[in-house]
Amino acid sequence: MNNEILSPAEMAEADRLTISAGPRDGIGLMRNAGAAVAAVVLAHFPAARRVHVLCGPGNNGGDGYVVARILQDSAVDVLVWASGSPKAGSDAALAVSECPVRPRPLSEFAAETGEILVDALYGAGLSKPLSGDAARAVEVATELNLPVVAVDLPSGVSGESGQILGQAFRARITVTFARKKPGHLLLPGREMCGDLVLADIGITDGIVAQLEPRTFENTPPLWLESFPVPAVDAHKYRRGHVGVFSGGPSATGAARLSALAAARSGAGAVTVLSPANGLQVNAAHLTSIMLRKADSITDVQEFIAGRRPSAFVLGPGFGVGEKTRDFALGVLAAGQRPDGRVDGLVLDADGITAFRDTPNALFEAACRPNAPALVVTPHEGEFVRLFPDIAGDKNLSKLAKARTAAERAGAIVVYKGADTVIAAPDSRAAINGNGAPWLATAGSGDVLSGIIAGFLAQGMQAFEAACAAVWIHAEAGSRFGPGLIAEDLPLALVPVLRELAEDRHGMTAE
C-alpha cells in the first residue's frame, strides 16, 4: 500500500531491521540516501553557482557528506559546513572520510544570494529547539531567500508532531526515505517541507510490514477496497437509510446540507427528522429527501422501529441542551433490529457541544455492547469541549491527541483542520494531506458529516467511512476552488465519486 507513515522511532527500527537482514549495511543505506538527494539537487538546480551542504553530527549529516561528494564529482562547486563531528567508527564518520570536501565550522557559515543550501543538520529525529549556529544558519538562509533542499525533514521541524522547534528551514524540496513521517503531513511542518520527494533507499515493504504501522496517509488505497458501489440488483433500502436531525424553523439549513451530502454519497434514502415547527420550512426546500416529525425521543424510537435507518447525523443547527443529549443517547441505545442494528451516529457541532459538561455519559454509551459506531467530528474548539485535558497537553501532537481521544471515547474521532486526523479506538490513525483552504466556509463541516453517514449507511466500517469522507470532501473542495460555498459541495462530490467508483470497479475486474 505504501501509505504507511512511520514515526522517527519506527524509521530508525526500519533501518536497523534492514541492516540486520542484509545485504545492505548502514553506510550502504546512507550512500543511497545521499545519492537520492544529490540527484534532486542536480535535476532542479543545474545552473547553481554553488551548493552549501550543512551537516550535523549524526546520520542526517552523514547523508549530507555523501551529497557533497557526489555533487563535487559532478563538477558542482560545493562547500560543507559542519556542526560537530560524527562519532568515531559510525557510518557518518565513514561518510566523512569518503568526502573530499573538507568541512568548515558551521559557526562561520556565509552564503550569497543565488546559491543553494542542502540542509543535512538534524532531520526528523530532532527533539529540542534549534539554537546557536544552527539557528543562525536558518536566519542567513531566510534573509538571503536561499532555495533549500532538506534531507529527510527541514531541521527545526519535529518529525513526530510537525511543530517548529524554535526556528526551522523552509525547504523548497524535502527528500525523505522509505515512508513519510508525521511531520511531513501535520501542520505547520507540511508547509515547511515544500515539494516532498519519497526516495527508495533499499528499505523493503516487507521490512515496513514487520513494524505493523498503525498510522497512515489518508489516500484512496487506504479504503478504496471497501468503497461502496451498488450491486446490479440494488434497491434504495439496500443502499442504506440516513436520518438527519434538523433544528427549529430558523436553523434548518445545516441539516439539509448534511442530508443532501448523504444522498450524494450514495445513501439510498435520506430522511430529515424535524421538529413540528420546522416542518414547513424544511418541506419548502426538500424534494428527493424525505421529511418526518421528531419532537421527542419516542418519535425517534418509532422512526427507528418503523423505517430501520442505518445511520444518523445529529448536531448541525440542532441546538444545545437536554434534547440533544437525549437524542444522541437514544440512538446509541437503539439496540438490535430484526435485520441488524443502527450502524452509526455522526455527532457534530451542537451535538458535540451539548456534552461538554457530561462527556463521560456519551463515551459510556458508545462503549456499550451492540452500540452503533460513534463518529465525532470536532474542530479545534469543539475538541477542547469534549477532551479539555487532552487538548491542553502540550507534549502531545495533534496525531497523539486524536488517538488518545478516540481510545477514551470508544469512538472514531475526526479532528478537523487543514491537517485533519482520523483516529480509531484500536490505535489506527490517518493524517489527511489534501486539505483545501476553500473548505473554510460555513456549512462545510455539515456536508462532511452527511458524507460520513452516507458511507456508514452503505456498510463501510466507521474508520474507513470517516477516512473516505474526509479525503473526498477535501478533493471536491480543491477541484472547485475559489468561490466555493457549502451549497456547492454536494454536487461537487459527483466527479470525485464517479472516478472512485470506476477505480473500485477496476479492482473488482482484476
Side-chain angles (χ1 to χ4, degrees):
M1 192 159 53
N2 291 349
N3 62 347
E4 303 98 336
I5 296 173
L6 300 184
S7 69
E10 288 172 327
M11 188 66 223
E13 179 64 5
D15 284 342
R16 188 193 69 78
L17 290 172
T18 300
I19 294 166
S20 64
R24 293 177 178 84
D25 54 9
I27 189 62
L29 293 178
M30 192 169 284
R31 289 170 183 148
N32 290 347
V37 176
V40 167
V41 174
L42 292 170
H44 289 266
F45 306 102
R49 293 193 303 112
R50 173 176 286 170
V51 176
H52 299 269
V53 183
L54 278 54
C55 295
N59 286 343
N60 200 251
D63 297 342
Y65 288 106
V66 176
V67 174
R69 172 176 59 78
I70 295 173
L71 292 180
Q72 177 149 300
D73 289 347
S74 303
V76 176
D77 183 11
V78 182
L79 293 178
V80 173
W81 307 88
S83 174
S85 300
K87 183 179 179 181
S90 65
D91 294 324
L94 182 54
V96 172
S97 70
E98 294 176 349
C99 180
V101 184
R102 292 301 91 194
R104 306 179 182 194
L106 183 62
S107 59
E108 298 175 7
F109 171 63
E112 296 181 5
T113 302
E115 297 175 339
I116 308 301
L117 187 148
V118 174
D119 164 28
L121 284 172
Y122 300 110
L126 186 69
S127 58
K128 61 182 181 180
L130 282 189
S131 60
D133 297 334
R136 191 185 70 83
V138 171
E139 294 170 359
V140 171
T142 302
E143 183 178 346
L144 296 175
N145 195 27
L146 299 181
V148 174
V149 177
V151 179
D152 196 22
L153 200 74
S155 294
V157 174
S158 166
E160 194 74 52
S161 70
Q163 292 301 304
I164 295 175
L165 304 175
Q167 300 182 71
F169 288 101
R170 182 178 290 274
R172 182 82 57 89
I173 304 170
T174 296
V175 184
T176 194
F177 316 112
R179 296 293 189 274
K180 295 177 184 178
K181 319 304 179 296
H184 292 126
L185 294 171
L186 295 172
L187 292 173
R190 188 172 78 201
E191 291 188 321
M192 304 300 288
C193 289
D195 295 332
L196 192 62
V197 175
L198 186 61
D200 178 6
I201 61 171
I203 297 173
T204 66
D205 293 349
I207 290 292
V208 173
Q210 288 184 48
L211 301 172
E212 299 182 346
R214 304 294 285 172
T215 307
F216 306 90
E217 182 175 6
N218 187 29
T219 57
L222 182 63
W223 38 262
L224 187 60
E225 196 170 308
S226 61
F227 184 76
V229 177
V232 174
D233 62 347
H235 57 73
K236 62 184 178 182
Y237 290 115
R238 269 195 202 159
R239 298 183 67 187
H241 187 175
V242 174
V244 181
F245 291 98
S246 170
S250 63
T252 59
R256 290 197 300 274
L257 284 172
S258 292
L260 188 55
R264 284 289 183 196
S265 63
V270 182
T271 298
V272 169
L273 299 162
S274 172
N277 62 4
L279 286 170
Q280 286 189 334
V281 176
N282 275 315
H285 292 278
L286 297 175
T287 304
S288 60
I289 308 298
M290 296 180 284
L291 183 60
R292 181 167 176 139
K293 180 179 77 70
D295 275 320
S296 68
I297 191 61
T298 300
D299 293 335
V300 176
Q301 290 166 342
E302 290 175 354
F303 173 68
I304 293 173
R307 301 307 299 270
R308 298 177 177 175
S310 308
F312 286 90
V313 177
L314 173 61
F318 192 75
V320 176
E322 185 177 355
K323 179 180 177 182
T324 312
R325 294 189 294 274
D326 287 347
F327 278 23
L329 297 177
V331 170
L332 290 173
Q336 297 290 334
R337 307 188 321 232
D339 62 338
R341 58 186 172 80
V342 173
D343 293 309
L345 168 65
V346 183
L347 199 66
D348 186 25
D350 291 344
I352 293 171
T353 301
F355 284 95
R356 63 186 162 195
D357 296 325
T358 57
N360 287 336
L362 175 66
F363 305 157
E364 289 169 5
C367 293
R368 290 193 186 109
N370 300 322
L374 173 63
V375 181
V376 294
T377 61
H379 55 57
E380 188 171 2
E382 291 162 346
F383 189 91
V384 172
R385 291 167 203 159
L386 276 188
F387 310 102
D389 57 328
I390 298 173
D393 190 338
K394 295 181 180 179
N395 294 318
L396 296 178
S397 67
K398 183 173 184 177
L399 173 63
K401 288 176 180 180
R403 189 172 261 142
T404 305
E407 181 180 2
R408 176 185 295 178
I412 305 299
V413 173
V414 179
Y415 193 173
K416 294 186 295 194
D419 56 351
T420 294
V421 176
I422 307 99
D426 63 5
S427 83
R428 285 179 298 162
I431 305 173
N432 201 62
N434 70 335
W438 321 115
L439 292 173
T441 182
S444 172
D446 305 327
V447 173
L448 175 62
S449 294
I451 303 170
I452 298 171
F455 289 154
L456 285 171
Q458 293 172 84
M460 286 187 86
Q461 294 298 304
F463 178 71
E464 286 77 7
C467 288
V470 167
W471 188 89
I472 291 165
H473 181 252
E475 186 70 12
S478 293
R479 294 190 190 186
F480 192 101
L484 175 75
I485 58 175
E487 285 93 329
D488 300 319
L489 271 170
L491 192 58
L493 299 173
V494 173
V496 182
L497 293 168
R498 181 182 298 119
E499 290 172 18
L500 290 167
E502 291 171 355
D503 290 345
R504 180 71 181 89
H505 275 302
M507 290 175 66
T508 306
E510 292 174 4

